Each structure stands twice: as C-alpha cells, then as structure tokens.
Amino acid sequence: MAMTIHVDIVSAEGAIHSGQATMVYASAEVGEVGIAPRHTAFISRLKPGDVRVENEQGEQEHFYVSGGMLEVQPNVVTVLADTAIRAANLDEAAAQEAKRRAEEALAGQQAGFEYAKAQAELAEAIAQLRAIEKLRKTKRS
C-alpha cells in the first residue's frame, strides 16, 4: 500500500473534496508545486488555476481554484479558496464570454479601479480556460 496524505479542498461555499492522495499539484505563488506524503510544512498563496489530486490508483482529480491559500503539513494538505470547482464542471462558454468582456473593458481603459477589476477578471477567465485545457489533455492520454 502506497503512503498517502490527507487532502481537504474548501471554498467559501463549503468543502468540495476530502480524502487520501499520493500526490497533490497546485499553482502556488512561487510556481507549480508537487506535494507528496511527509512533505515539509509550508504555507503559500495560490494563483488562480488547476489543483490536481492523485489517488492510489494513479488517477487524477482536477479542481479549479480562484486563488487562495495552500497549507502543507507532513500528513495533511489544505486548500482554502474563495471559489473551488471540480474542473469537469467548468463552463467553457462562460469562461470565454468572461474573457471577452474583460478584454473589452481593458480596451476601454476607464477608471483605474475598473481597469484593475478587468485585469483580475481576465486573469481568472484565462486560468479557468487553462484548467479546462489541462483536463482535456489528460482525458486524451
């Protein structure tokens, strides 16, 4: 039996995942991180993007997080996010539309606050589309 680590993925809406894993991959502020059982403890901010949880059978479950915090302990990984969605439930058409609206708002370049908001919305839409693309690639493999 392979060593495992407990993983909790929690959003403002509630827990979306709780279970054992052999590896966890996430887009941390410092870059892509891979976390195995007995990993050194650390805390990092998460960038909007994909979180992958690999089970003992080698299958990966994909989640999209809008950013948040990653806490790693030797036997527990906790992801706290404002928004966490199973990648299979992401709506590509909605993400494309959000990207288009954000790009239009950036082209208009109104007030500084609106520009910053549009940049954040564009980054989130692009991160969702990347998560959808990663999920497609793993399904093809």
Side-chain angles (χ1 to χ4, degrees), residues 1-8 17-24 37 53-57 59 61 75-76:
M1 184 170 148
M3 288 187 61
T4 61
I5 189 168
H6 186 80
V7 180
D8 288 316
H17 176 84
S18 183
Q20 297 299 118
T22 56
M23 282 293 290
V24 178
V53 178
E54 188 171 306
N55 66 23
E56 292 178 89
Q57 292 75 40
E59 300 164 342
E61 195 168 356
N75 297 309
V76 179

Side-chain angles (χ1 to χ4, degrees), residues 23-88:
M23 282 293 290
V24 178
Y25 305 93
S27 298
E29 193 173 54
V30 296
E32 183 82 6
V33 295
I35 303 149
R38 298 195 300 186
H39 194 287
T40 301
F42 77 93
I43 293 179
S44 176
R45 281 191 269 198
L46 288 171
K47 296 190 295 189
D50 192 36
V51 173
R52 299 180 317 277
V53 178
E54 188 171 306
N55 66 23
E56 292 178 89
Q57 292 75 40
E59 300 164 342
Q60 288 190 0
E61 195 168 356
H62 294 253
F63 301 89
Y64 167 78
V65 295
S66 62
M69 295 299 294
L70 172 69
E71 179 187 10
V72 178
Q73 296 294 325
N75 297 309
V76 179
V77 173
T78 304
V79 173
L80 300 173
D82 290 332
T83 303
I85 304 168
R86 292 182 186 282

